[in-house]
Amino acid sequence: MPHLLSKSKYIRGLQCDRALWLDSHAPRLARYTAEQMQRFDYGRDFEYAFKSTFPDGIDISAELKRNVDAYPTLTADLLDRNGVVTLFEAGFVYDDVLVLADVVHKHADGQMDVYEVKSGTSLSETYKRDAALQHYVISHCRQVKTFSIVHAASPELRAHSDNPYVAIDLTDELALHHDRIAARIEKMKQIVLSTSEPDTPTGSHCLTPYACPYQQHCQLGARQLSLF
């Protein structure tokens, strides 16, 4: 099922129009540091550990690999089965946006608990924006009972509990952002469909909330322009 935006592109677009365009048209220009790659690896390991608490989970990505456009169809087929079903990397498409949910646990009555897994030790606004997009897409496809962000327990919490995970139910809060998200998606789709790279200047947004992997490209462009 084709799409124009993904969760990662949406988050990129919240930070910078130009980065969103480059993510869609020239991802080969991205440059990641060794530290960033280490953080990615740690996040994947933490996510995998949480998924292991659902021993009967079905991993969509293991079935379909990089064929992400096929994820929603297989996801729908599995969720339509009777009884309890747990899926990893379940795919949902709505409003030309594809999201892959870390964990979806469908109850026998068809309602779903969705878990977005983050390796940080606190609930950040960036995490909430990420989850809000997923809630927007998934809830337009299926009935969502709860949507929770799962993050790592802080050292202080671990001192009082052996549970390494903190799950925070944000279902009601995330639903409040749907209209704003719809407007942002419409703007981002126009950027992605454009044939021209935006001329957004570099600035503090290149580092917040994440260090942009296109900084080298944009800084080179700025230096070239300064020669004329």
Side-chain angles (χ1 to χ4, degrees):
M1 189 176 298
H3 62 282
L4 287 177
L5 293 170
S6 63
K7 183 184 71 173
S8 61
K9 285 185 173 62
Y10 176 86
I11 296 300
R12 190 84 75 200
L14 291 180
Q15 186 167 338
C16 176
D17 291 351
R18 190 175 189 178
L20 168 61
W21 190 92
L22 289 167
D23 236 21
S24 303
H25 295 271
R28 68 188 183 282
L29 297 175
R31 298 291 182 269
Y32 295 95
T33 66
E35 182 181 355
Q36 286 174 309
M37 296 305 296
Q38 288 175 351
R39 286 201 298 269
F40 295 154
D41 289 341
Y42 176 75
R44 282 192 289 268
D45 290 344
F46 181 81
E47 179 184 318
Y48 178 81
F50 178 74
K51 288 176 176 176
S52 69
T53 65
F54 296 86
D56 296 326
I58 300 171
D59 189 348
I60 301 294
S61 64
E63 296 284 335
L64 299 176
K65 310 300 182 184
R66 295 188 178 184
N67 185 19
V68 293
D69 283 332
Y71 281 37
T73 299
L74 179 56
T75 295
D77 289 344
L78 293 171
L79 290 177
D80 285 338
R81 292 181 179 178
N82 292 328
V84 177
V85 177
T86 300
L87 303 179
F88 304 146
E89 304 305 312
F92 302 88
V93 171
Y94 175 75
D95 202 6
D96 294 316
V97 182
L98 169 69
V99 300
L100 306 181
D102 291 335
V103 179
V104 170
H105 181 73
K106 191 206 76 170
H107 299 270
D109 62 2
Q111 295 190 92
M112 303 189 315
D113 295 323
V114 183
Y115 301 93
E116 171 66 10
V117 185
K118 301 295 186 183
S119 59
T121 56
S122 62
L123 181 61
S124 70
E125 289 302 314
T126 304
Y127 289 173
K128 288 184 180 181
R129 288 193 288 269
D130 183 316
L133 174 71
Q134 291 199 67
H135 184 274
Y136 171 79
V137 173
I138 297 172
S139 64
H140 278 92
C141 300
R142 296 273 171 167
Q143 186 174 5
V144 175
K145 182 180 181 182
T146 65
F147 194 114
S148 300
I149 290 181
V150 177
H151 66 76
S154 67
E156 292 77 15
L157 288 175
R158 291 298 301 273
H160 302 285
S161 172
D162 292 332
N163 188 352
Y165 311 110
V166 176
I168 303 174
D169 185 350
L170 295 173
T171 313
D172 294 338
E173 179 180 343
L174 299 178
L176 299 176
H177 298 284
H178 283 197
D179 289 345
R180 186 181 307 167
I181 290 170
R184 286 172 174 166
I185 288 172
E186 197 57 37
K187 176 186 175 183
M188 290 185 193
K189 286 193 289 189
Q190 296 306 311
I191 294 170
V192 170
L193 291 170
S194 173
T195 57
S196 300
E197 179 180 341
D199 58 358
T200 309
T202 57
S204 60
H205 63 278
C206 298
L207 299 173
T208 305
Y210 302 111
C212 179
Y214 298 106
Q215 289 182 74
Q216 182 177 338
H217 165 77
C218 295
Q219 289 167 355
L220 177 62
R223 287 198 296 271
Q224 289 176 333
L225 289 173
S226 69
L227 297 177
F228 296 93

